[in-house]
Amino acid sequence: MSNFNIDSTKNRTYDAIVIGSGISGGWAAKELTGKGLRTLVLERGRDVRHVVDYPTTMLQPWEFEHRGQLPYEVKQENPIVSKCYAFYEGTTQFFAKDKEHPYVQEKPFDWIRGYQVGGKSLLWARQTQRWSNFDFEGPARDGFAVDWPIRYNDLAPWYSYVEKFAGITGNKDGLDTLPDGEFLPPHDLNCVEKYFKEQVSKNYKDRHIIIGRAAHITKAQPIHLQQGRAQCQHRTICERGCPFGGYFSSNASTIPWAMKTGKMTLRPDSVVHSIIYDEKKGKATGVRVIDANTKEMIEFYAKIIFVNAAALNTNLILLNSTSNRFQNGLGNDSGVLGKYVAFHNYRARVSGEYDGLLDSTTDGRRPNSGYIPRFRNVYKQETDFLRGYAAGFDGRRIEYNSSEGIGEDLKVNLGKVTRGAWSVGSHMMGETIPKESNYVALDKALKDPYGIPQLRIAVGYDDNDEKMVKDYLQQMTDMFEKAGFKNIKTYDSKQAAGLDIHEMGGARMGKDPKTSILNKWNQMHACKNVFVTDGASMTSTSTQNPSLTYMAMTARAADYAVKQMRMGNL
């Protein structure tokens, strides 16, 4: 019996464990296996293999039973996830349904999740901007949150490293607010977007319209071909899974790359309960997992643990990892675990029409749009709110056709396209301020289907966010008016926090162990062999889409962790 236990433990022991297989977890798996570590990757959801497990990726609209629309019953059963723009008949298989993982909303919060191998990397919007020092220095300047322990120069080489592998399209714009990267050929702005760019440049010195930067292969390089990936086909149905690997996902890129090393063991259907802390050794020794199929609890062991379950689930796991040493959650000597959660404010939009350039229209599809980098409170505090916002911008020709008639007349009318003015639109991407009052915690009574405490989420907007929305609507309206756009309309959706799908914080980085959970290497101050490199680690949110920064921080942290382990420090 003793030998059986020893053999069983040995079979469940690895050099490293990665919790989660999404964007950051996939990168952790790639980097750790690439450095020779036997790595176990735990994923709470089912296995999804590249190409073969994308059931809707080649379907035409008429091949869907409901022509892509969600049945009434599905909407009724999923009032939260059905609010997501990407949740429709062709993608439901990649979203966690509301009943599968209940949670408590102390404040309205729409928690959008993807529980499968690859996580939300199958579903993300693929926009990838680097942060600048203006973003890393924001908390130090205005005193909200704590100072980041890193600056742009710490991440710059790692941004380059992950950009080359992932494949990022973009233009070198030379903006200090948005550092240039290692870009594949850019998409092009269309004629009305170029017109708006010219008008903005003419009327404002501090505002720029650029083509977005996105994780799409516009010209495959040898490193992409080695991954088995090909050029983006501009189908713009990316959220169904891309059989070409034209956009970056864990499924198409980092997971198969890690698998080829022979060092990775992938275990789907593994719901992580908690991290095991050894009081005598003074470090984490493994992870407790509940098998999603059998409900059996199993323990796995490793020298290094990377927590990449996505921001709120990472907080949940750490809060649930209690011991005599850490009675309020693993590494939580500071008491800030679960607190200072922030997100992006996507509530506001502006639309309009332009009746010029009527001799032109657009052709084909583009998985990208124009982008307006942050221009508020960059060099100095100039408004009555802190931080700022970026914005998207796009223009397209309004088209009409007639559905009148029967038979041959109907066919003829449907084939006639009448083009009207250009429709133009913008949406806001605002930075929210991390505050102690925005937090997540474990519910003391309610459990999920696996017996794990449900997460209580108390994250919402404040007066700073309201002022920012007002300013965005005013400034964008002014920009539209100066460009000669007509029929300008403003919208505030009042949507709950969470629908931006950019929640961050809770296990933030910082210089002082008294006010943060992680150091500058994404390493726990109080438990040195545990690293957190997903959204939970973020000290503040900036205005940029965060996924590229998660990738860079993960590669950097993995490099540091392996070096420390080999020196005997972990």
Side-chain angles (χ1 to χ4, degrees), residues 66-81:
H66 306 99
R67 300 298 186 266
Q69 299 299 307
L70 289 173
Y72 176 78
E73 296 78 14
V74 174
K75 287 185 177 181
Q76 291 298 106
E77 291 173 1
N78 297 279
I80 296 170
V81 70

Side-chain angles (χ1 to χ4, degrees), residues 195-196 199 203-204 477-485 488:
Y195 165 78
F196 187 53
Q199 295 302 306
N203 290 298
Y204 304 91
T477 297
D478 290 346
M479 292 163 71
F480 275 26
E481 287 177 344
K482 286 187 169 93
F485 297 159
I488 299 169

Side-chain angles (χ1 to χ4, degrees), residues 121-137:
S121 76
L122 287 167
L123 299 164
W124 67 311
R126 308 167 306 283
Q127 302 306 295
T128 44
Q129 309 96 10
R130 292 188 181 197
W131 284 30
S132 74
N133 271 335
F134 296 110
D135 304 300
F136 288 111
E137 292 172 356

Side-chain angles (χ1 to χ4, degrees), residues 173 263 466 498:
D173 300 295
K263 297 287 185 180
E466 301 299 334

Side-chain angles (χ1 to χ4, degrees), residues 2 33 95 175 183 230 256 258 293 310 331 376 531 536 546:
S2 177
T33 56
F95 284 89
L175 304 176
F183 295 140
N293 297 313
R376 289 307 232 180
F531 294 79

